[in-house]
Amino acid sequence: MGAIIWPSPHTFSPARHIDESGKFVYSPKVIPFGIGRRACIGESLARSEIFLMFVGILQRFTITSGYSNLPTISNEHLGLFYGPKPYKVRLEHR
Ligand code: HEM
C-alpha cells in the first residue's frame, strides 16, 4: 500500500486544498502540469486561458448546484483520470 497523500481521495473535495480565506494551499503533491524536464510546455497559456474563461463566466452568471447534489468522483468513470459522473448546475444571469 502507498502512503496516504490526503484522506478520502475518491471524494470530490476541492476544500482540502483551500484555506479559510479561500486561497489555494500550496502542496508539492498537486502537480496538474507535471514537473521536471517533461513538464507541460503550455502551462502559462493554460493558466491564463482558464483564468479568463472562469472570470468571464463568473462575472456574468451566478452558479448554484440547482438540480442535484454536487458529484462525487466514482470508479465508474475512471479513464485516464478520475472524473465525476455527469451532473447539472444552474446558471442565472447576474
Ligand atoms: C489545463 C490545461 C493543461 C494541463 C492540465 C496540462 C497538463 C500536462 C501534463 C500533466 C503533461 C505531462 C507532463 C509530464 O510528462 O510529466 C503535459 C505535457 C505537455 N503539454 Fe500540457 N497541459 C495543459 C495544457 C496545455 C496547452 C494549452 C498546451 C499547448 C499550447 C500544452 C502542451 C503540452 C506539451 C507540448 C506537453 C509535452 C511536453 C514534453 O513532453 O516535453 N498543454 N501537459
Side-chain angles (χ1 to χ4, degrees):
M1 293 293 280
I4 292 176
I5 306 296
W6 50 69
S8 310
H10 297 278
T11 306
F12 179 70
S13 174
R16 67 164 68 89
H17 301 298
I18 298 170
D19 69 15
E20 309 77 51
S21 59
K23 295 245 159 63
F24 175 70
V25 182
Y26 171 77
S27 163
K29 303 287 194 317
V30 179
I31 46 171
F33 296 96
I35 48 172
R37 300 180 115 182
R38 303 308 301 264
C40 178
I41 203 170
E43 176 170 352
S44 62
L45 174 66
R47 284 190 186 277
S48 329
E49 288 299 322
I50 290 167
F51 178 78
L52 291 171
M53 271 189 343
F54 269 112
V55 168
I57 292 169
L58 294 175
Q59 282 177 339
R60 289 168 182 78
F61 298 98
T62 299
I63 304 172
T64 53
S65 59
Y67 306 101
S68 56
N69 293 328
L70 286 175
T72 134
I73 290 174
S74 108
N75 285 344
E76 292 163 44
H77 281 67
L78 174 61
L80 189 55
F81 301 102
Y82 282 112
K85 285 181 177 171
Y87 63 99
K88 291 183 177 172
V89 293
R90 184 186 181 97
L91 277 77
E92 285 174 281
H93 267 292
R94 286 172 179 272

PDB file of all heavy atoms in Angstrom, residues 31-43 45-47 49-50 81, ligand 1:
ATOM      1  N   ILE A  31       0.246  18.459  -8.771  1.00  0.00           N
ATOM      2  CA  ILE A  31       1.098  18.745  -9.933  1.00  0.00           C
ATOM      3  C   ILE A  31       0.323  18.534 -11.236  1.00  0.00           C
ATOM      4  O   ILE A  31       0.629  17.619 -12.017  1.00  0.00           O
ATOM      5  CB  ILE A  31       2.387  17.886  -9.911  1.00  0.00           C
ATOM      6  CG1 ILE A  31       2.068  16.418  -9.597  1.00  0.00           C
ATOM      7  CG2 ILE A  31       3.390  18.434  -8.930  1.00  0.00           C
ATOM      8  CD1 ILE A  31       3.259  15.487  -9.766  1.00  0.00           C
ATOM      9  N   PRO A  32      -0.695  19.393 -11.481  1.00  0.00           N
ATOM     10  CA  PRO A  32      -1.519  19.178 -12.673  1.00  0.00           C
ATOM     11  C   PRO A  32      -0.743  19.314 -13.981  1.00  0.00           C
ATOM     12  O   PRO A  32      -1.156  18.763 -14.999  1.00  0.00           O
ATOM     13  CB  PRO A  32      -2.588  20.278 -12.571  1.00  0.00           C
ATOM     14  CG  PRO A  32      -2.000  21.315 -11.680  1.00  0.00           C
ATOM     15  CD  PRO A  32      -1.108  20.579 -10.730  1.00  0.00           C
ATOM     16  N   PHE A  33       0.375  20.016 -13.982  1.00  0.00           N
ATOM     17  CA  PHE A  33       1.130  20.205 -15.225  1.00  0.00           C
ATOM     18  C   PHE A  33       2.434  19.411 -15.244  1.00  0.00           C
ATOM     19  O   PHE A  33       3.279  19.620 -16.107  1.00  0.00           O
ATOM     20  CB  PHE A  33       1.422  21.696 -15.426  1.00  0.00           C
ATOM     21  CG  PHE A  33       0.176  22.518 -15.624  1.00  0.00           C
ATOM     22  CD1 PHE A  33      -0.414  23.188 -14.565  1.00  0.00           C
ATOM     23  CD2 PHE A  33      -0.433  22.596 -16.870  1.00  0.00           C
ATOM     24  CE1 PHE A  33      -1.570  23.925 -14.743  1.00  0.00           C
ATOM     25  CE2 PHE A  33      -1.587  23.333 -17.065  1.00  0.00           C
ATOM     26  CZ  PHE A  33      -2.161  24.002 -15.996  1.00  0.00           C
ATOM     27  N   GLY A  34       2.564  18.495 -14.309  1.00  0.00           N
ATOM     28  CA  GLY A  34       3.783  17.706 -14.269  1.00  0.00           C
ATOM     29  C   GLY A  34       4.947  18.513 -13.709  1.00  0.00           C
ATOM     30  O   GLY A  34       4.823  19.699 -13.394  1.00  0.00           O
ATOM     31  N   ILE A  35       6.094  17.844 -13.566  1.00  0.00           N
ATOM     32  CA  ILE A  35       7.296  18.518 -13.047  1.00  0.00           C
ATOM     33  C   ILE A  35       8.509  18.024 -13.833  1.00  0.00           C
ATOM     34  O   ILE A  35       8.446  17.011 -14.520  1.00  0.00           O
ATOM     35  CB  ILE A  35       7.522  18.237 -11.536  1.00  0.00           C
ATOM     36  CG1 ILE A  35       7.406  16.739 -11.245  1.00  0.00           C
ATOM     37  CG2 ILE A  35       6.593  19.035 -10.664  1.00  0.00           C
ATOM     38  CD1 ILE A  35       7.797  16.360  -9.828  1.00  0.00           C
ATOM     39  N   GLY A  36       9.563  18.758 -13.727  1.00  0.00           N
ATOM     40  CA  GLY A  36      10.817  18.314 -14.334  1.00  0.00           C
ATOM     41  C   GLY A  36      10.887  18.601 -15.825  1.00  0.00           C
ATOM     42  O   GLY A  36      10.145  19.412 -16.353  1.00  0.00           O
ATOM     43  N   ARG A  37      11.756  17.904 -16.499  1.00  0.00           N
ATOM     44  CA  ARG A  37      12.058  18.182 -17.908  1.00  0.00           C
ATOM     45  C   ARG A  37      10.875  18.001 -18.832  1.00  0.00           C
ATOM     46  O   ARG A  37      10.812  18.630 -19.883  1.00  0.00           O
ATOM     47  CB  ARG A  37      13.175  17.251 -18.386  1.00  0.00           C
ATOM     48  CG  ARG A  37      14.436  17.418 -17.602  1.00  0.00           C
ATOM     49  CD  ARG A  37      15.478  16.477 -18.109  1.00  0.00           C
ATOM     50  NE  ARG A  37      16.561  17.278 -18.681  1.00  0.00           N
ATOM     51  CZ  ARG A  37      17.632  16.774 -19.266  1.00  0.00           C
ATOM     52  NH1 ARG A  37      17.756  15.482 -19.411  1.00  0.00           N
ATOM     53  NH2 ARG A  37      18.574  17.553 -19.737  1.00  0.00           N
ATOM     54  N   ARG A  38       9.959  17.081 -18.511  1.00  0.00           N
ATOM     55  CA  ARG A  38       8.806  16.841 -19.377  1.00  0.00           C
ATOM     56  C   ARG A  38       7.571  17.582 -18.915  1.00  0.00           C
ATOM     57  O   ARG A  38       6.461  17.256 -19.333  1.00  0.00           O
ATOM     58  CB  ARG A  38       8.505  15.333 -19.479  1.00  0.00           C
ATOM     59  CG  ARG A  38       9.663  14.490 -19.970  1.00  0.00           C
ATOM     60  CD  ARG A  38      10.256  15.016 -21.269  1.00  0.00           C
ATOM     61  NE  ARG A  38       9.314  15.084 -22.366  1.00  0.00           N
ATOM     62  CZ  ARG A  38       9.172  14.152 -23.304  1.00  0.00           C
ATOM     63  NH1 ARG A  38       9.890  13.056 -23.252  1.00  0.00           N
ATOM     64  NH2 ARG A  38       8.317  14.321 -24.291  1.00  0.00           N
ATOM     65  N   ALA A  39       7.716  18.561 -18.053  1.00  0.00           N
ATOM     66  CA  ALA A  39       6.555  19.319 -17.570  1.00  0.00           C
ATOM     67  C   ALA A  39       5.863  20.007 -18.739  1.00  0.00           C
ATOM     68  O   ALA A  39       6.480  20.266 -19.784  1.00  0.00           O
ATOM     69  CB  ALA A  39       6.994  20.337 -16.534  1.00  0.00           C
ATOM     70  N   CYS A  40       4.605  20.310 -18.560  1.00  0.00           N
ATOM     71  CA  CYS A  40       3.773  20.882 -19.625  1.00  0.00           C
ATOM     72  C   CYS A  40       4.330  22.207 -20.140  1.00  0.00           C
ATOM     73  O   CYS A  40       4.520  23.149 -19.387  1.00  0.00           O
ATOM     74  CB  CYS A  40       2.359  21.092 -19.093  1.00  0.00           C
ATOM     75  SG  CYS A  40       1.285  21.845 -20.323  1.00  0.00           S
ATOM     76  N   ILE A  41       4.491  22.256 -21.451  1.00  0.00           N
ATOM     77  CA  ILE A  41       5.041  23.456 -22.064  1.00  0.00           C
ATOM     78  C   ILE A  41       3.964  24.538 -22.191  1.00  0.00           C
ATOM     79  O   ILE A  41       4.259  25.721 -22.358  1.00  0.00           O
ATOM     80  CB  ILE A  41       5.624  23.062 -23.429  1.00  0.00           C
ATOM     81  CG1 ILE A  41       6.678  24.040 -23.881  1.00  0.00           C
ATOM     82  CG2 ILE A  41       4.551  22.888 -24.468  1.00  0.00           C
ATOM     83  CD1 ILE A  41       7.437  23.534 -25.102  1.00  0.00           C
ATOM     84  N   GLY A  42       2.697  24.122 -22.094  1.00  0.00           N
ATOM     85  CA  GLY A  42       1.592  25.072 -22.262  1.00  0.00           C
ATOM     86  C   GLY A  42       1.039  25.606 -20.950  1.00  0.00           C
ATOM     87  O   GLY A  42      -0.022  26.231 -20.930  1.00  0.00           O
ATOM     88  N   GLU A  43       1.750  25.370 -19.844  1.00  0.00           N
ATOM     89  CA  GLU A  43       1.187  25.721 -18.534  1.00  0.00           C
ATOM     90  C   GLU A  43       0.767  27.184 -18.428  1.00  0.00           C
ATOM     91  O   GLU A  43      -0.340  27.490 -17.984  1.00  0.00           O
ATOM     92  CB  GLU A  43       2.173  25.375 -17.412  1.00  0.00           C
ATOM     93  CG  GLU A  43       1.633  25.817 -16.053  1.00  0.00           C
ATOM     94  CD  GLU A  43       2.447  25.301 -14.883  1.00  0.00           C
ATOM     95  OE1 GLU A  43       3.354  24.465 -15.074  1.00  0.00           O
ATOM     96  OE2 GLU A  43       2.150  25.737 -13.753  1.00  0.00           O
ATOM     97  N   LEU A  45       0.070  29.400 -20.739  1.00  0.00           N
ATOM     98  CA  LEU A  45      -1.066  29.681 -21.626  1.00  0.00           C
ATOM     99  C   LEU A  45      -2.351  29.101 -21.013  1.00  0.00           C
ATOM    100  O   LEU A  45      -3.379  29.764 -20.928  1.00  0.00           O
ATOM    101  CB  LEU A  45      -0.828  29.061 -23.012  1.00  0.00           C
ATOM    102  CG  LEU A  45      -1.993  29.160 -23.984  1.00  0.00           C
ATOM    103  CD1 LEU A  45      -2.266  30.604 -24.357  1.00  0.00           C
ATOM    104  CD2 LEU A  45      -1.725  28.339 -25.243  1.00  0.00           C
ATOM    105  N   ALA A  46      -2.259  27.848 -20.546  1.00  0.00           N
ATOM    106  CA  ALA A  46      -3.430  27.191 -19.979  1.00  0.00           C
ATOM    107  C   ALA A  46      -3.932  27.945 -18.746  1.00  0.00           C
ATOM    108  O   ALA A  46      -5.134  28.159 -18.589  1.00  0.00           O
ATOM    109  CB  ALA A  46      -3.098  25.742 -19.618  1.00  0.00           C
ATOM    110  N   ARG A  47      -3.012  28.361 -17.877  1.00  0.00           N
ATOM    111  CA  ARG A  47      -3.428  29.097 -16.669  1.00  0.00           C
ATOM    112  C   ARG A  47      -4.122  30.399 -17.032  1.00  0.00           C
ATOM    113  O   ARG A  47      -5.138  30.753 -16.438  1.00  0.00           O
ATOM    114  CB  ARG A  47      -2.222  29.364 -15.759  1.00  0.00           C
ATOM    115  CG  ARG A  47      -1.784  28.123 -15.000  1.00  0.00           C
ATOM    116  CD  ARG A  47      -0.765  28.473 -13.928  1.00  0.00           C
ATOM    117  NE  ARG A  47      -0.234  27.289 -13.285  1.00  0.00           N
ATOM    118  CZ  ARG A  47      -0.818  26.634 -12.288  1.00  0.00           C
ATOM    119  NH1 ARG A  47      -1.967  27.065 -11.801  1.00  0.00           N
ATOM    120  NH2 ARG A  47      -0.258  25.562 -11.770  1.00  0.00           N
ATOM    121  N   GLU A  49      -5.710  31.141 -19.854  1.00  0.00           N
ATOM    122  CA  GLU A  49      -6.989  30.857 -20.507  1.00  0.00           C
ATOM    123  C   GLU A  49      -8.039  30.418 -19.494  1.00  0.00           C
ATOM    124  O   GLU A  49      -9.190  30.834 -19.554  1.00  0.00           O
ATOM    125  CB  GLU A  49      -6.813  29.767 -21.578  1.00  0.00           C
ATOM    126  CG  GLU A  49      -6.062  30.235 -22.813  1.00  0.00           C
ATOM    127  CD  GLU A  49      -6.771  31.381 -23.533  1.00  0.00           C
ATOM    128  OE1 GLU A  49      -8.004  31.373 -23.595  1.00  0.00           O
ATOM    129  OE2 GLU A  49      -6.063  32.289 -23.999  1.00  0.00           O
ATOM    130  N   ILE A  50      -7.633  29.541 -18.568  1.00  0.00           N
ATOM    131  CA  ILE A  50      -8.579  29.072 -17.548  1.00  0.00           C
ATOM    132  C   ILE A  50      -9.053  30.264 -16.716  1.00  0.00           C
ATOM    133  O   ILE A  50     -10.243  30.420 -16.441  1.00  0.00           O
ATOM    134  CB  ILE A  50      -7.935  27.992 -16.642  1.00  0.00           C
ATOM    135  CG1 ILE A  50      -7.732  26.711 -17.444  1.00  0.00           C
ATOM    136  CG2 ILE A  50      -8.787  27.721 -15.421  1.00  0.00           C
ATOM    137  CD1 ILE A  50      -6.838  25.691 -16.760  1.00  0.00           C
ATOM    138  N   PHE A  81      -8.092   9.653 -16.243  1.00  0.00           N
ATOM    139  CA  PHE A  81      -8.191  10.310 -14.934  1.00  0.00           C
ATOM    140  C   PHE A  81      -9.517   9.929 -14.303  1.00  0.00           C
ATOM    141  O   PHE A  81     -10.426   9.512 -15.004  1.00  0.00           O
ATOM    142  CB  PHE A  81      -8.177  11.843 -15.087  1.00  0.00           C
ATOM    143  CG  PHE A  81      -6.950  12.361 -15.759  1.00  0.00           C
ATOM    144  CD1 PHE A  81      -6.989  12.744 -17.090  1.00  0.00           C
ATOM    145  CD2 PHE A  81      -5.750  12.455 -15.076  1.00  0.00           C
ATOM    146  CE1 PHE A  81      -5.850  13.219 -17.723  1.00  0.00           C
ATOM    147  CE2 PHE A  81      -4.609  12.930 -15.703  1.00  0.00           C
ATOM    148  CZ  PHE A  81      -4.660  13.308 -17.027  1.00  0.00           C
TER     149      PHE A  81
HETATM  150  C1  HEM B   1      -5.406  22.632 -18.203  1.00  0.00           C
HETATM  151  C2  HEM B   1      -4.570  22.504 -19.235  1.00  0.00           C
HETATM  152  C3  HEM B   1      -3.381  21.575 -19.264  1.00  0.00           C
HETATM  153  C4  HEM B   1      -2.985  20.618 -18.386  1.00  0.00           C
HETATM  154  C5  HEM B   1      -3.643  20.193 -17.072  1.00  0.00           C
HETATM  155  C6  HEM B   1      -1.779  20.022 -18.925  1.00  0.00           C
HETATM  156  C7  HEM B   1      -1.057  19.010 -18.311  1.00  0.00           C
HETATM  157  C8  HEM B   1       0.053  18.404 -18.868  1.00  0.00           C
HETATM  158  C9  HEM B   1       0.770  17.309 -18.269  1.00  0.00           C
HETATM  159  C10 HEM B   1       0.414  16.622 -16.935  1.00  0.00           C
HETATM  160  C11 HEM B   1       1.794  16.987 -19.090  1.00  0.00           C
HETATM  161  C12 HEM B   1       2.801  15.833 -18.913  1.00  0.00           C
HETATM  162  C13 HEM B   1       3.966  16.241 -18.062  1.00  0.00           C
HETATM  163  C14 HEM B   1       4.865  15.057 -17.859  1.00  0.00           C
HETATM  164  O1  HEM B   1       5.052  14.244 -18.781  1.00  0.00           O
HETATM  165  O2  HEM B   1       5.375  14.927 -16.748  1.00  0.00           O
HETATM  166  C15 HEM B   1       1.739  17.887 -20.226  1.00  0.00           C
HETATM  167  C16 HEM B   1       2.627  17.882 -21.286  1.00  0.00           C
HETATM  168  C17 HEM B   1       2.555  18.716 -22.361  1.00  0.00           C
HETATM  169  N1  HEM B   1       1.647  19.738 -22.550  1.00  0.00           N
HETATM  170 FE1  HEM B   1       0.126  20.222 -21.335  1.00  0.00          FE
HETATM  171  N2  HEM B   1      -1.464  20.631 -20.118  1.00  0.00           N
HETATM  172  C18 HEM B   1      -2.418  21.596 -20.353  1.00  0.00           C
HETATM  173  C19 HEM B   1      -2.451  22.472 -21.421  1.00  0.00           C
HETATM  174  C20 HEM B   1      -1.549  22.522 -22.456  1.00  0.00           C
HETATM  175  C21 HEM B   1      -1.555  23.503 -23.533  1.00  0.00           C
HETATM  176  C22 HEM B   1      -2.553  24.660 -23.667  1.00  0.00           C
HETATM  177  C23 HEM B   1      -0.511  23.183 -24.347  1.00  0.00           C
HETATM  178  C24 HEM B   1      -0.036  23.825 -25.609  1.00  0.00           C
HETATM  179  C25 HEM B   1      -0.430  25.018 -26.067  1.00  0.00           C
HETATM  180  C26 HEM B   1       0.160  22.017 -23.783  1.00  0.00           C
HETATM  181  C27 HEM B   1       1.265  21.407 -24.317  1.00  0.00           C
HETATM  182  C28 HEM B   1       1.922  20.338 -23.757  1.00  0.00           C
HETATM  183  C29 HEM B   1       3.078  19.675 -24.369  1.00  0.00           C
HETATM  184  C30 HEM B   1       3.706  20.019 -25.729  1.00  0.00           C
HETATM  185  C31 HEM B   1       3.479  18.670 -23.486  1.00  0.00           C
HETATM  186  C32 HEM B   1       4.650  17.694 -23.662  1.00  0.00           C
HETATM  187  C33 HEM B   1       5.884  18.292 -23.028  1.00  0.00           C
HETATM  188  C34 HEM B   1       7.079  17.338 -23.132  1.00  0.00           C
HETATM  189  O3  HEM B   1       6.859  16.123 -23.023  1.00  0.00           O
HETATM  190  O4  HEM B   1       8.183  17.818 -23.306  1.00  0.00           O
HETATM  191  N3  HEM B   1      -0.500  21.646 -22.633  1.00  0.00           N
HETATM  192  N4  HEM B   1       0.668  18.739 -20.055  1.00  0.00           N
END
